[in-house]
Amino acid sequence: DAQRAGGLVVEGDQTAGPLRVGITQSVGIRALPDIVRRFGRDWPLVRIQPRESETDLDLYGGVEQAELDLTFVELPAPPGPYETLPLLTDPYVLIVRSDSPLAHRPSCPTLAEVGGLELIGHTQCRGLRRVEDQIRAAGSEPHFAFRSDVNATVQALVAAGVGVAVMPGLGFDPGDGRTVA
C-alpha cells in the first residue's frame, strides 16, 4: 500500500513526488545547492520545489497553510503549530569596506559604536530588529542610510561607501574583495 505525506508518495523503500521547501535568499545561495545535490543522490524520485521569501514569517505561514512541507527559518518560532529543529547557527556580522579603519581594528566595534555609524540593512529581517534593539539598549539610536532586502544590494552599497551593514553571515559574499565581515 502507498502512503501519502503531503505531496510525497511512499511505497516500500521508494519515496516520490514534490517536497515543497521554504527558503530565504541566503539559504538559497549558501545552503540549498548542496542540499539539493545530496538529497537528490539519496532520494532521486523526490523533486525539491524551493519557494523563496523575503521574510521567514511568510515561510512560517506557508507551513501553517500547508503550502510548504518544511522551511528554513530564523528561530525563535512565532506562536503556531510549528515543530523546529536547529540545524545551523548563522550569526549576524558587521560588513565594512575593505579599506575601512574598522576592517583593521584588533577587535569588533561595540554595539554603541555600530549605532553611531551609517547603516544599511534589511527591511523585514526579525534578527536585524533584535540587533537594533540591542544597539538601543547599548545607548545608541541606529540610523539607516538605506534599506534593501537583497543581500547583494546591501553588500554593494557597503562597497560603495554608503555605510556599513549588519546582516546574517550566510548573506555575506566573501568573494567580494571590496568588503569584509
Side-chain angles (χ1 to χ4, degrees):
D1 259 354
Q3 296 178 354
R4 288 199 173 271
L8 295 176
V9 177
V10 181
E11 269 190 63
D13 291 344
Q14 296 293 317
T15 302
L19 180 62
R20 302 164 305 164
V21 179
I23 59 169
T24 57
Q25 65 179 304
S26 55
V27 169
I29 292 169
R30 303 280 179 247
L32 188 65
D34 188 50
I35 290 169
V36 170
R37 181 185 55 78
R38 290 178 21 209
F39 191 88
R41 182 182 60 225
D42 296 338
W43 302 93
L45 301 178
V46 176
R47 294 177 322 280
I48 293 181
Q49 295 178 339
R51 182 179 108 192
E52 186 177 85
S53 180
E54 291 178 356
T55 169
D56 70 333
L57 292 177
D58 288 341
L59 298 174
Y60 277 108
V63 169
E64 189 168 11
Q65 300 300 316
E67 298 165 356
L68 294 171
D69 299 308
L70 63 96
T71 187
F72 292 87
V73 288
E74 190 171 317
L75 296 176
Y82 310 113
E83 184 175 328
T84 62
L85 174 66
L87 296 176
L88 61 90
T89 300
D90 185 14
Y92 280 73
V93 295
L94 179 67
I95 310 299
V96 300
R97 283 175 51 113
S98 298
D99 61 359
S100 167
L102 292 173
H104 306 290
R105 283 179 53 165
S107 62
C108 292
T110 66
L111 286 170
E113 289 174 309
V114 171
L117 302 171
E118 289 290 309
L119 298 173
I120 302 164
H122 296 96
T123 62
Q124 301 186 42
C125 179
R126 290 190 307 140
L128 182 57
R129 281 191 227 123
R130 285 193 296 274
V131 171
E132 290 176 51
D133 291 343
Q134 291 171 349
I135 289 171
R136 286 184 189 98
S140 187
E141 183 62 32
H143 175 263
F144 284 85
F146 193 86
R147 289 190 183 256
S148 171
D149 288 316
V150 177
N151 292 334
T153 300
V154 170
Q155 191 165 346
L157 289 168
V158 171
V162 175
V164 302
V166 177
M167 64 189 297
L170 283 177
F172 172 68
D173 177 4
D176 182 346
R178 303 172 301 166
T179 57
V180 295

